[in-house]
Amino acid sequence: MKGSQYVVIGLGRFGSSLAKELVQLGYEVLGIDQDEEAVEEMSDVLTHAVVADATDEEVLRSLGIRNFDCAVVAIGDDIQASILAAILLKDIGVKTVVAKALSELHGKVLEKIGVDRVIFPERDMGIRVAHQLVSPNLLDYIELSKDYTIAELSVPKKLSGCTLKQLDPRAKYGCSVVAINKKHGVIIAPTATDTVEERDVMVVIGTNDQIEEFESQVIRR
Ligand code: ATP
């Protein structure tokens, strides 16, 4: 969201990395942490960084938190503080509240109190790395549903110069190449005569099984 202002509560590894990236992307970020050292470390990087207890409603109000478009609660270990901060942010009227959960139960509670998006960084990164270990050419993927995925597959040297007709993922495995990301631009909805080169990235849509088969039988072999 252009022009959006973010507040990140909890400047641990996750919160500080997220806050830094938002600044890099050109957004204004207020970082809050009760730990002076954590705030000190981020004070040169963020738009503002303050030492405060995010479970104190008065403090949040005095910081004008309700004027922020989005707040991220990145407190992990102290589940009680994470939940209290999230409730206060919703109560104060922050439009979008995102919170990090350390466990399924923590996540369920955050959902119940109306957090707009609950994220599970450790769990999700574990799943992601497992997929990448099983499919080494898999660069990234988005799960569209339980069964369907959009995956980015890197093209190995041995397939350089192949046309999509030769690879034929749709007829052989049921998945489709919806784009080819090349060094000099992206081909959207490529046709059968389009070729792939080493280090191109194929964007493939299909079921998890179809994409896994295509990756293991054609890309990796
Ligand atoms: P990470 O994995 O991101 O490093 P974590 O999941 O281990 O973090 P913690 O280290 O418990 O989570 O919390 C992250 C940060 O949140 C810490 O810097 C901590 O000082 C801060 N924090 C915890 N409780 C509060 C609070 N009530 N108000 C403000 N900051 C808080």
Side-chain angles (χ1 to χ4, degrees), residues 142 144-145 147-151 173-178 203-212:
I142 302 168
L144 296 176
S145 69
D147 300 315
Y148 286 91
T149 295
I150 293 182
Y173 304 98
C175 53
S176 306
V177 179
V178 291
V203 183
V204 182
I205 187 165
T207 66
N208 299 336
D209 288 347
Q210 290 166 346
I211 294 174
E212 223 177 281

Side-chain angles (χ1 to χ4, degrees), residues 10-14 33-35 52-55 74-77 81 100:
L11 300 172
R13 288 162 300 180
F14 176 77
D33 201 297
Q34 63 186 9
D35 180 61
D53 178 0
T55 62
I75 301 171
D77 290 344
K100 154 179 155 165

Side-chain angles (χ1 to χ4, degrees), residues 6-9 28-32 46-50 63 65 68:
Y6 293 86
V7 55
V8 177
I9 294 173
E28 284 185 27
V29 179
L30 165 66
I32 299 177
L46 306 183
T47 323
H48 303 285
V50 295
L63 287 168
I65 299 297
F68 283 77

Side-chain angles (χ1 to χ4, degrees), residues 153-168:
L153 300 174
S154 66
V155 176
K157 192 171 176 192
K158 63 175 179 44
L159 295 183
S160 225
C162 283
T163 62
L164 289 188
K165 177 79 197 137
Q166 286 169 310
L167 300 179
D168 217 9

Side-chain angles (χ1 to χ4, degrees), residues 14 29 34 37 42 50 53 69 79 87 93 109 116 119 143 159 178 189:
F14 176 77
V29 179
Q34 63 186 9
E37 233 175 83
M42 294 297 286
V50 295
D53 178 0
D69 307 289
I79 293 185
I87 291 179
V109 176
D116 301 278
I119 40 178
E143 264 177 347
L159 295 183
V178 291

Side-chain angles (χ1 to χ4, degrees), residues 1 68-72 89-90 93-98 116-117:
M1 277 187 284
F68 283 77
D69 307 289
C70 177
V72 181
L89 292 165
K90 286 304 298 180
V94 177
K95 262 187 254 127
T96 309
V97 176
V98 177
D116 301 278
R117 182 166 171 211

